[in-house]
């Protein structure tokens, strides 16, 4: 391994962990807010036209996704968690755009979407699915 490869590897690991920890913090905090049905979240769900029980579903999925992304192993579950984060955040962005909400409402979901992509892209090999024919 060359010095440049080592540097890139270290930079990749740092990028992964910074993005992943911020992603986990963001998803966990919003998941808790949604699970507890904070008044602002209930108002937002009403504003977007979604049923209130949707808060419970999203909150549980986010917290489960955070656990899966942070714990070692389980690469298939990690792929599902990243996909769930992607679908949830793109859904939030599209929902806000559909009702002509301002750009300030897009910042949170867009940031979490970017962190999802960065964390997924820079994840270490031991957190990736291994192709069946890679022997």
């Amino acid at each position: 391994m060359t010095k440049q490869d080592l540097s890139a590897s270290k930079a990749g690991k740092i990028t992964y962990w910074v993005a992943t920890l911020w992603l986990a913090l963001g998803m966990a905090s919003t998941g808790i807010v949604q699970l507890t049905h904070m008044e602002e979240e209930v108002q937002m769900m009403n504003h977007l036209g979604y049923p209130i029980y949707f808060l419970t579903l999203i909150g549980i999925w986010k917290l489960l996704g955070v656990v899966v992304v942070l714990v070692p192993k389980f690469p298939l579950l990690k792929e599902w968690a990243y996909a769930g984060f992607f679908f949830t955040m793109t859904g939030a962005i599209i929902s806000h755009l559909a009702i002509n909400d301002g750009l300030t409402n897009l910042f949170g979901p867009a940031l979490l979407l970017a962190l999802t992509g960065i964390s997924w892209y820079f994840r270490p090999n031991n957190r990736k699915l291994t192709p069946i024919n890679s022997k």
Side-chain angles (χ1 to χ4, degrees):
M1 179 178 267
T2 68
K3 190 173 186 176
Q4 186 177 15
D5 290 337
L6 181 61
S7 174
S9 176
K10 276 186 178 180
K13 285 179 184 177
I14 291 169
T15 301
Y16 167 76
W17 280 110
V18 168
T20 302
L21 291 174
W22 278 105
L23 173 65
L25 179 63
M27 289 295 181
S29 62
T30 58
I32 291 167
V33 164
Q34 290 162 337
L35 266 179
T36 60
H37 290 213
M38 284 187 65
E39 185 57 35
E40 294 84 10
E41 287 296 306
V42 171
Q43 289 174 2
M44 183 58 73
M45 281 290 127
N46 287 327
H47 175 69
L48 292 171
Y50 291 111
I52 301 308
Y53 70 82
F54 206 53
L55 286 172
T56 304
L57 290 171
I58 294 172
I60 290 169
W61 289 338
K62 283 182 178 180
L63 293 176
L64 291 174
V66 166
V67 171
V68 169
V69 166
L70 290 177
V71 299
K73 308 214 190 229
F74 309 108
L76 180 60
L77 286 178
K78 286 184 193 320
E79 291 295 320
W80 280 89
Y82 281 119
F85 289 163
F86 177 84
F87 296 141
T88 303
M89 292 305 101
T90 55
I93 291 168
I94 292 167
S95 294
H96 285 292
L97 289 173
I99 62 168
N100 296 315
D101 269 349
L103 291 177
T104 55
N105 288 315
L106 301 178
F107 178 76
L111 176 61
L112 289 171
L113 180 61
L115 290 170
T116 298
I118 294 166
S119 175
W120 178 85
Y121 182 81
F122 285 99
R123 71 199 187 286
N125 287 335
N126 65 352
R127 291 176 177 255
K128 294 180 183 179
L129 281 176
T130 305
I132 293 172
N133 59 356
S134 68
K135 293 180 183 181

